[in-house]
Amino acid sequence: MIATPTPYFINVKGQLMDLSIPKIMGIVNITADSFYDGGKIKSNRDLLQKAENMLAEGVDILDVGAYSSRPGAAEVTVEDERLRATEAIAHIIRAFPEAVVSVDTFRADVAEASIQSGAAIINDISAGELDDRMFELVAALQAPYIMMHMRGNPQTMSQMTDYGDLVSDIIDYFNVKLNLLKKQGVKDIVIDPGFGFAKTREQNFALLSKLELLWMLDAPILCGVSRKSMIFKTLGGGPDDALNGTTALNMTSLIKGASILRVHDVKEAKEAVTLYEQLKQ
């Protein structure tokens, strides 16, 4: 059965982004140790080439991250993350003024500086858990806010995978967060169930199989399974071998109701959306 969740719009700098046709968020990592593409962007030229390629392939949002959230990733200071993120965002916006940029950070100081540098969306893996000021900032900025389900932090999350009922616990988690944000006047909220974050491989598949249950939260859903270990630990190989599996699970995510796919490979994800739209018709 093809999913038919509520059509959603988010206000991006005064322009409505229509999520009734799923959107593609392209991952732009400016970190040295991200699990798949860490260290590949070494200069402003590399950064702009990456952004240009993704835009040419039809990306809708460029997600700039300056802190690796892979399990066991090294700590990055607030100052280093803020400097890396804001410089990268400013370079992208200068070169491509129409681009929609999100900042992938759980730190309010980094989010605020990034919005001032031209980012339009805040993408927070911790849903405010790792910075008490984040919800207050989002309310003040009225920027679209993507919040993800995670336990602990990138250094500890792999040991925090015990749940009573995984999907019910995630729904309860988001219910609390959504109510808090809405009470503060935040309107544009996207939820990310957090594949790979404080979840085992088996739990990731169980979550994806029941993704449509998250519709009851009445919020657009972002899915980020791109080249993750749930794929290559099932099929063999490593992240470099996981593109085909990523495309398969991206299509599953769309059928289950995802409004945004967060990916390393824009062209293939865009093709999945095109085929999905044909299925809907």
Side-chain angles (χ1 to χ4, degrees), residues 188-209:
D188 299 298
I189 309 167
V190 177
I191 60 172
D192 175 353
F195 292 101
F197 288 81
K199 298 168 190 73
T200 65
R201 180 171 65 94
E202 293 77 15
Q203 287 169 338
N204 287 322
F205 281 103
L207 174 58
L208 183 55
S209 75

Side-chain angles (χ1 to χ4, degrees), residues 59-112:
V59 79
D60 300 291
I61 304 165
L62 295 168
D63 191 42
V64 174
Y67 183 115
S68 175
S69 57
R70 67 173 176 81
E75 180 67 17
V76 177
T77 67
V78 176
E79 293 75 17
D80 283 349
E81 185 189 358
R82 181 172 55 226
L83 181 63
R84 290 182 199 170
T86 54
E87 286 189 350
I89 291 164
H91 281 301
I92 291 170
I93 294 297
R94 276 197 295 270
F96 310 104
E98 301 304 311
V100 175
V101 177
S102 59
V103 58
D104 177 5
T105 185
F106 57 81
R107 290 165 165 163
D109 286 349
V110 177
E112 184 172 22

